[in-house]
Amino acid sequence: MQKKIQTALISVFNKNGLEPIVKKLHQLNVQLISTGGTYDFIKNLGIPVTSVDNITQFPEILGGRVKTLHPKIFGGILARRQNETDVQQVNTHQIPLIDCVIVDLYPFEETVKSTNDEAAIIEKIDIGGISLIRAAAKNFNDTIIVPDRRYYNEFLNLLETQQGFTQFNDRKKFAAYAFAISSHYDTMIFHYFNQFAQLPYFKESSLNAQTLRYGENPHQKAWCYGNLEAQLEKLNGKEISYNNLLDIEAAVQLIADFDEPTFAIIKHNNACGVASRETIYDAYLTALSSDPLSAFGGILIANRTIDANTANEINKLFFEVIIAPSYEAEALNILKSKANRIILINKIQQLPQYTYRSILHGVIKQERDAKIETHEELKVVTEKTPSDSEISDLLFANKIVKHTKSNAIVIVKNKQLIGSGTGQTSRVDAVRHAIEKAHHFKFDTNGAVLASDAFFPFPDSVELAHSAGITAIIQPGGSIKDKDSIDACNKYGISMVFTGFRHFKH
């Protein structure tokens, strides 16, 4: 049903973008009602406006905490025009009908980010605004609600094209906007209080949605929620895909565990090349040599600035995405030579505390696996103690295996990934796969080290490692048959350390 806007209530915290709407409403002969700073804003534009307290005959009180919370305001918003009793009561109490509400909410989320002053934060919990939004949205049959300035352009276009009239579908759509805003706002307030209460409730919300080209496969629709721009600055390239995002996530999580200059290449969420060297140039060339076949079409990530020499080498490879903290100007020009190549700046200062996954009709949540083992935490369980260089490689390997799909085995030599067994259904198959891959790319596994994401249930993995010349192993331990693997290591002169921490990744 078509409705003509005759009276609009406007009460906003942020006045940006409001002026053209106010002027258009005035041009359409809409009566304006307002309060506080918004009243002054409209009046200063030279546009007639009625104050809320002139209608309610009740002043703002409690330092502005109570402004619009009055039956003469909410009655005008909630009155059902087709309901005879509602109309009779409105007339009896001389309540003006309000068919448009423009309101925003106090910046609670922004205040939480900018201060630890609880009094200031609490004052930014909106009461009147959220009530106006819900009331107008509930009565969408008669009233249109504009709940945030992100919808100003759409509303202004509506006013201009329909000359102050709204259709039923317009009002219902804006009501959906309203409840999106109000539910998000309440979720942010809950998060603040739940830092103290620690209630086991799942409440997450994002008003930033991006439609992706497709999901894992072209026949699947997909969306991304969250403020990607705040974490990754895009300098070049085509639209980031669903699969790109999964690989980017894996790459960022992996590189965050390394301090020295390190380069990694990711394919289907697993590292196919990782190396640490004195320069990022050498780190890239070494990482690429780990598995140049899998690197084709992969995701590249570095934890140091990409210079021109490194960019020239990288430019020889076909890849989807490159991520780095920064790029030299010349390097950026080189990398931009391919228009579709996605170039990102990693701006993430801190990784999220929790991870989420959907399961059937629910969601599971866990703390992010932030554990990084140190030399001091390693427990030598064999007769032979690993050398300092082996310890360095073991810790390096353990960081990689932590980010590899289970069952996972990685083989490392001189801080370079030289072989990996990923996503295998048995641990011994993962060991066999890692060794075969290393040998396929002509790596000498004699003197290499091996990392396992979980314990060895049988000594067969140790026996395979020995056959490949591996001299040191790192694993969590914890099997009832640990002694069998320890005895096998002692038999073959292999050193082995336990970490006490499993790193499954599914």
Side-chain angles (χ1 to χ4, degrees):
M1 183 184 297
Q2 182 172 266
K3 297 277 185 178
K4 175 73 168 68
I5 298 174
Q6 300 184 65
T7 304
L9 171 65
I10 308 176
S11 180
V12 298
F13 182 86
N14 190 317
K15 314 301 186 294
N16 291 337
L18 184 62
E19 183 175 339
I21 291 176
V22 171
K23 288 181 175 179
K24 188 63 184 179
L25 288 169
H26 175 59
Q27 183 186 333
L28 293 167
N29 297 314
V30 176
Q31 180 187 353
L32 304 182
I33 302 171
S34 193
T35 183
T38 311
Y39 173 85
D40 294 335
F41 176 84
I42 296 172
K43 196 171 182 181
N44 289 336
L45 292 174
I47 293 174
V49 57
T50 302
S51 67
V52 165
D53 56 11
N54 185 263
I55 293 172
T56 63
Q57 294 299 302
F58 199 93
E60 292 184 15
I61 61 172
L62 308 181
R65 280 190 166 194
V66 179
K67 300 176 185 177
T68 55
L69 294 168
H70 194 281
K72 282 204 169 183
I73 299 300
F74 280 85
I77 295 170
L78 286 162
R80 293 160 290 186
R81 280 49 161 183
Q82 307 304 315
N83 185 298
E84 290 183 8
T85 303
D86 284 11
V87 173
Q88 181 183 9
Q89 290 178 350
V90 162
N91 291 332
T92 299
H93 297 289
Q94 297 181 327
I95 298 173
L97 293 175
I98 298 170
D99 26 48
C100 173
V101 175
I102 302 173
V103 65
D104 66 3
L105 299 171
Y106 290 160
F108 178 84
E109 195 172 353
E110 293 81 355
T111 304
V112 169
K113 291 176 181 177
S114 64
T115 182
N116 292 320
D117 182 349
E118 183 155 272
I121 291 170
I122 298 305
E123 281 307 305
K124 289 300 184 287
I125 297 178
D126 207 312
I127 303 300
I130 202 83
S131 302
L132 290 169
I133 286 174
R134 291 179 64 85
K138 178 176 181 176
N139 198 29
F140 68 88
N141 192 58
D142 298 301
T143 306
I144 188 165
I145 170 67
V146 184
D148 189 89
R149 64 182 183 275
R150 73 184 66 203
Y151 309 116
Y152 282 3
N153 287 339
E154 185 176 349
F155 179 64
L156 183 59
N157 182 62
L158 204 66
L159 293 177
E160 291 172 340
T161 57
Q162 298 182 184
Q163 291 302 301
F165 285 88
T166 63
Q167 308 298 326
F168 177 83
N169 287 343
D170 298 329
R171 297 189 297 275
K172 193 167 186 179
K173 182 181 182 182
F174 274 79
Y177 291 154
F179 287 116
I181 292 293
S182 65
S183 60
H184 177 77
Y185 195 76
D186 285 341
T187 298
M188 297 304 104
I189 294 170
F190 168 76
H191 284 175
Y192 175 75
F193 282 95
N194 205 41
Q195 293 176 98
F196 164 76
Q198 293 294 301
L199 301 175
Y201 303 149
F202 178 73
K203 289 186 179 293
E204 295 297 330
S205 176
S206 173
L207 293 173
N208 296 301
Q210 178 184 347
T211 300
L212 303 176
R213 283 178 291 163
Y214 51 79
E216 284 187 279
N217 302 292
H219 63 278
Q220 295 172 269
K221 293 181 179 179
W223 299 264
C224 176
Y225 301 96
N227 189 2
L228 284 179
E229 291 78 13
Q231 306 164 60
L232 298 163
E233 182 181 347
K234 186 179 175 185
L235 303 179
N236 189 74
K238 61 185 179 181
E239 182 184 337
I240 299 175
S241 72
Y242 182 96
N243 289 331
N244 287 158
L245 288 169
L246 292 178
D247 283 334
I248 289 168
E249 162 80 5
V252 170
Q253 294 273 4
L254 171 66
I255 208 70
D257 284 354
F258 292 88
D259 295 321
E260 56 192 318
T262 302
F263 207 105
I265 303 171
I266 307 296
K267 198 73 173 287
H268 295 299
N269 300 169
N270 292 306
C272 60
V274 186
S276 292
R277 291 293 183 266
E278 290 187 3
T279 68
I280 208 67
Y281 174 86
D282 289 334
Y284 167 70
L285 291 177
T286 308
L288 178 63
S289 70
S290 296
D291 183 351
L293 185 63
S294 296
F296 182 85
I299 306 293
L300 279 54
I301 189 164
N303 62 358
R304 294 293 192 278
T305 299
I306 302 297
D307 56 69
N309 288 337
T310 307
N312 273 318
E313 291 298 330
I314 291 172
N315 204 40
K316 299 173 184 177
L317 176 71
F318 170 75
F319 62 92
E320 290 271 337
V321 181
I322 183 167
I323 311 161
S326 59
Y327 303 83
E328 290 183 357
E330 187 180 348
L332 195 55
N333 287 333
I334 293 166
L335 295 172
K336 282 183 174 181
S337 62
K338 301 290 192 296
N340 285 336
R341 182 179 284 163
I342 298 168
I343 304 173
L344 302 174
I345 292 179
N346 184 2
K347 300 192 293 183
I348 298 174
Q349 300 296 316
Q350 186 175 6
L351 291 169
Q353 184 179 358
Y354 300 104
T355 63
Y356 304 87
R357 291 182 72 171
S358 61
I359 50 145
L360 302 176
H361 294 289
V363 173
I364 51 177
K365 170 183 176 179
Q366 68 171 350
E367 293 179 336
R368 181 177 66 86
D369 185 359
K371 178 62 182 175
I372 301 175
E373 287 78 5
T374 64
H375 187 171
E376 293 72 27
E377 293 176 302
L378 302 182
K379 179 182 178 182
V380 179
V381 294
T382 51
E383 295 168 357
K384 183 181 178 184
T385 299
S387 66
D388 289 344
S389 62
E390 286 175 329
I391 289 289
S392 179
D393 273 354
L394 288 170
L395 292 172
F396 181 91
N398 203 55
K399 290 176 181 179
I400 300 171
V401 82
K402 165 187 163 182
H403 295 281
T404 305
K405 296 289 185 181
S406 301
N407 286 313
I409 294 290
V410 302
I411 299 173
V412 163
K413 192 172 184 180
N414 299 325
K415 291 188 178 179
Q416 177 189 9
L417 173 65
I418 63 171
S420 59
T422 65
Q424 300 301 305
T425 52
S426 72
R427 192 146 306 277
V428 70
D429 279 346
V431 175
R432 184 177 294 109
H433 188 267
I435 293 170
E436 288 174 354
K437 194 157 194 177
H439 290 166
H440 177 77
F441 290 106
K442 310 303 181 185
F443 286 106
D444 181 6
T445 51
N446 287 294
V449 306
L450 179 149
S452 174
D453 64 334
F455 62 64
F456 292 143
F458 306 105
D460 49 3
S461 293
V462 175
E463 291 163 357
L464 268 178
H466 165 67
S467 69
I470 287 164
T471 56
I473 294 172
I474 185 169
Q475 59 133 317
S479 168
I480 59 173
K481 294 187 176 181
D482 275 345
K483 188 176 182 300
D484 292 350
S485 295
I486 294 170
D487 287 345
C489 283
N490 288 333
K491 175 181 177 181
Y492 298 120
I494 298 173
S495 60
M496 184 161 66
V497 298
F498 284 178
T499 65
F501 290 90
R502 190 181 71 185
H503 289 295
F504 270 166
K505 185 180 180 187
H506 294 98

